[in-house]
Amino acid sequence: KANPETRVLIDDRVDVAAALRHAGEPVHGVHVGQDDLPVAAARALLGPGAIIGLTTGTRELVEAANDVADVIDYIGCGPFRATPTKDSGRAPLGLDGYPALVEASQVPVVAIGDVHATDAAALAATGVAGVAIVRSFMHAEDPRAMAAGIVKDFEEAS
């Protein structure tokens, strides 16, 4: 049972998101990478109500994302720090890398790539609209409490 405000996005697999949405499952969209299905095709498959995010992490990629700002809802910028999960080939941004990307982007920026719960406040202060956290949730003893703490820290620092 999920909070009705929860939004479920499928990573990389537009086909899976489309199939689940077609079956009536509560899937709200996708997050695609630079080498996945183009965002215009994802939008055509998922429709105007879907949430679509695109991975970026350099000024050049952010500027390219601006060319499709009418198609996407946000960009994921990273990696924040080196991550064992997925190697993008891009250097970690660290806290100092986000303000310029936030300023350059026409859509909200979400920090991604080995973001921990304890990073939420510092990242919020850079101007990002949100944080993507995976492994910390997977290992959390109380994911609900961790999520509440992240939201509190992020909102207080924004």
mmCIF file of all heavy atoms in Angstrom, residues 13 15 48 64 106 114 125 154:
data_model
loop_
_atom_site.group_PDB
_atom_site.id
_atom_site.type_symbol
_atom_site.label_atom_id
_atom_site.label_comp_id
_atom_site.label_asym_id
_atom_site.label_seq_id
_atom_site.Cartn_x
_atom_site.Cartn_y
_atom_site.Cartn_z
ATOM 1 N N ARG A 13 13.506 1.264 -19.215
ATOM 2 C CA ARG A 13 12.647 0.377 -20.005
ATOM 3 C C ARG A 13 11.279 0.980 -20.294
ATOM 4 O O ARG A 13 10.310 0.755 -19.581
ATOM 5 C CB ARG A 13 12.491 -0.960 -19.282
ATOM 6 C CG ARG A 13 13.783 -1.758 -19.076
ATOM 7 C CD ARG A 13 14.346 -2.311 -20.372
ATOM 8 N NE ARG A 13 13.383 -3.102 -21.104
ATOM 9 C CZ ARG A 13 13.202 -4.411 -20.954
ATOM 10 N NH1 ARG A 13 13.938 -5.087 -20.122
ATOM 11 N NH2 ARG A 13 12.277 -5.028 -21.656
ATOM 12 N N ASP A 15 9.355 0.178 -22.706
ATOM 13 C CA ASP A 15 8.430 -0.899 -23.062
ATOM 14 C C ASP A 15 7.763 -1.491 -21.824
ATOM 15 O O ASP A 15 6.558 -1.747 -21.812
ATOM 16 C CB ASP A 15 9.145 -1.987 -23.870
ATOM 17 C CG ASP A 15 10.334 -2.612 -23.155
ATOM 18 O OD1 ASP A 15 10.991 -1.928 -22.326
ATOM 19 O OD2 ASP A 15 10.640 -3.788 -23.434
ATOM 20 N N PRO A 48 0.839 12.075 -22.939
ATOM 21 C CA PRO A 48 1.143 13.373 -22.341
ATOM 22 C C PRO A 48 1.137 13.399 -20.816
ATOM 23 O O PRO A 48 1.758 14.262 -20.207
ATOM 24 C CB PRO A 48 0.047 14.289 -22.898
ATOM 25 C CG PRO A 48 -1.075 13.365 -23.245
ATOM 26 C CD PRO A 48 -0.435 12.066 -23.660
ATOM 27 N N ALA A 64 21.670 20.082 -24.400
ATOM 28 C CA ALA A 64 20.959 19.222 -25.355
ATOM 29 C C ALA A 64 19.574 18.866 -24.818
ATOM 30 O O ALA A 64 18.600 18.795 -25.580
ATOM 31 C CB ALA A 64 21.771 17.957 -25.640
ATOM 32 N N GLN A 106 16.427 24.152 -18.364
ATOM 33 C CA GLN A 106 15.074 24.687 -18.507
ATOM 34 C C GLN A 106 14.041 23.836 -17.774
ATOM 35 O O GLN A 106 12.865 24.198 -17.734
ATOM 36 C CB GLN A 106 14.707 24.791 -19.991
ATOM 37 C CG GLN A 106 15.539 25.787 -20.746
ATOM 38 C CD GLN A 106 15.237 25.793 -22.229
ATOM 39 O OE1 GLN A 106 14.239 25.236 -22.685
ATOM 40 N NE2 GLN A 106 16.109 26.418 -22.998
ATOM 41 N N ASP A 114 24.953 7.788 -6.511
ATOM 42 C CA ASP A 114 25.509 7.553 -5.184
ATOM 43 C C ASP A 114 25.171 8.674 -4.212
ATOM 44 O O ASP A 114 25.988 9.094 -3.397
ATOM 45 C CB ASP A 114 27.015 7.297 -5.225
ATOM 46 C CG ASP A 114 27.471 6.490 -4.009
ATOM 47 O OD1 ASP A 114 26.716 5.592 -3.573
ATOM 48 O OD2 ASP A 114 28.562 6.762 -3.491
ATOM 49 N N ALA A 125 20.677 22.808 -1.117
ATOM 50 C CA ALA A 125 21.278 24.145 -1.105
ATOM 51 C C ALA A 125 21.914 24.509 -2.443
ATOM 52 O O ALA A 125 22.152 25.688 -2.709
ATOM 53 C CB ALA A 125 22.296 24.238 0.021
ATOM 54 N N PHE A 154 15.677 18.111 3.085
ATOM 55 C CA PHE A 154 15.667 18.782 1.791
ATOM 56 C C PHE A 154 14.836 20.063 1.852
ATOM 57 O O PHE A 154 15.273 21.121 1.395
ATOM 58 C CB PHE A 154 15.128 17.837 0.705
ATOM 59 C CG PHE A 154 15.387 18.336 -0.683
ATOM 60 C CD1 PHE A 154 16.560 17.988 -1.341
ATOM 61 C CD2 PHE A 154 14.475 19.158 -1.337
ATOM 62 C CE1 PHE A 154 16.827 18.457 -2.609
ATOM 63 C CE2 PHE A 154 14.728 19.631 -2.600
ATOM 64 C CZ PHE A 154 15.913 19.280 -3.244
#
